[in-house]
Amino acid sequence: MKHLPSNGFRWSFSKLASFRSCPMSFYLEYVCNPSRDEEIPNFFAQYGSCAHKILEEYFKGRLPQFLLASEWARRYPEEVTCPPPAFPKGYDEKAYAAGLTYFETFDGFGPDWEVVSVEQKFTILLEGYTLVGVADLVLRNKETGAYWVIDHKSKSKSSMRKDRDLYRNQLYLYAIWVYEAFGVYPEKLSFSLFKEGGLMVDEVFSEDQLAATKQWFVDSIRAIEICDLFETWKTCIPLGETKEPYACRNICGVNVACDDYQEVRRRSYDAWLAKKQAEEGFLYDS
């Protein structure tokens, strides 16, 4: 792919998921700036980052359990500074309360498991490509020696249900790193939804799914590699859309540089203005 460096480009689950979600977002964020690895701030990213930092300090033994809730209350206004989505109303307060409840009731993942790694950055070679990632938490069973990979997520139950097939690949990419690091695949893979009170979404390790994830990894990269011309990069916005897509407005960090999004913003405003004028005209005529 001529837009990316011939060597040294590092792939991650988030980059591949970005392309699957919106090729134009990937183009603007990573092709135009191929060295970018950090996440562009938004409310959801800051919310998740704040919770991740607290959990990291807890599992590294730097923060006692009884201080988790108070740390959340102290850090939240300092670290979650991007505006929340306008809809649903009061989302900021609800999200904060959900995090507070989680940390007030959090008691770990059971006495049978010991911490092996926390927020571990890794770089491995997979199918000839460089894969990077950050594994939130890896535990090992004290009795059996089995490994357990846990990824903390701020997603809702409905969002995880919708995106589970995609995000399952993230857990399996981490499982590949566990094998590289410890010589054995984890028996258990889980998402911990801290905005849902710590609800666990579990996956039993499967060789079939491992193979499927490797294929997804290669197929995703090859789909990106064939996008040689700017014209082949498409947005996720439906043709003729007149309402700002939720993800484009609240999550995408490069929407200000996206011509399609700016155009749909204009259409959205024009539609709102026309409706308002029509309503005012009706009231005036009556």
Side-chain angles (χ1 to χ4, degrees), residues 148-165:
W148 183 10
V149 174
I150 297 174
D151 191 76
H152 311 301
K153 279 281 185 284
S154 60
K155 296 174 75 67
S156 66
K157 287 186 290 186
S158 59
S159 179
M160 177 55 73
R161 191 180 305 115
K162 174 185 174 184
D163 299 331
R164 184 168 179 173
D165 287 345

Side-chain angles (χ1 to χ4, degrees), residues 234-253:
K234 306 297 183 182
T235 68
C236 58
I237 301 173
L239 185 65
E241 178 64 79
T242 58
K243 182 178 180 182
E244 295 178 64
Y246 186 88
C248 297
R249 182 176 183 178
N250 297 293
I251 299 175
C252 181

Side-chain angles (χ1 to χ4, degrees), residues 198-255:
L199 175 70
M200 301 299 290
V201 179
D202 298 325
E203 297 280 344
V204 177
F205 182 83
S206 159
E207 291 284 351
D208 289 342
Q209 183 56 47
L210 175 65
T213 292
K214 290 180 179 180
Q215 191 62 53
W216 173 86
F217 178 76
V218 172
D219 289 346
S220 297
I221 294 175
R222 289 176 179 167
I224 293 170
E225 289 177 332
I226 65 174
C227 293
D228 281 338
L229 300 175
F230 179 83
E231 288 77 10
T232 65
W233 298 93
K234 306 297 183 182
T235 68
C236 58
I237 301 173
L239 185 65
E241 178 64 79
T242 58
K243 182 178 180 182
E244 295 178 64
Y246 186 88
C248 297
R249 182 176 183 178
N250 297 293
I251 299 175
C252 181
V254 291
N255 55 22

Side-chain angles (χ1 to χ4, degrees), residues 136-197:
D136 289 352
L137 183 64
V138 178
L139 305 177
R140 180 170 53 217
N141 189 286
K142 297 176 183 178
E143 182 177 347
T144 67
Y147 286 83
W148 183 10
V149 174
I150 297 174
D151 191 76
H152 311 301
K153 279 281 185 284
S154 60
K155 296 174 75 67
S156 66
K157 287 186 290 186
S158 59
S159 179
M160 177 55 73
R161 191 180 305 115
K162 174 185 174 184
D163 299 331
R164 184 168 179 173
D165 287 345
L166 172 64
Y167 279 88
R168 180 184 287 119
N169 292 303
Q170 184 180 23
L171 289 176
Y172 275 86
L173 291 176
Y174 292 170
I176 294 169
W177 167 72
V178 168
Y179 181 82
E180 295 262 344
F182 306 109
V184 61
Y185 285 112
E187 291 186 7
K188 195 173 180 182
L189 307 165
S190 302
F191 290 112
S192 175
L193 308 184
F194 53 79
K195 203 165 64 178
E196 297 284 358

Side-chain angles (χ1 to χ4, degrees), residues 58-84:
Y58 168 77
F59 283 108
K60 286 184 174 179
R62 301 172 185 168
L63 188 64
Q65 182 178 332
F66 69 89
L67 286 181
L68 294 179
S70 61
E71 276 298 286
W72 175 255
R74 181 182 70 82
R75 296 185 189 189
Y76 188 88
E78 298 176 356
E79 299 182 13
V80 186
T81 57
C82 287

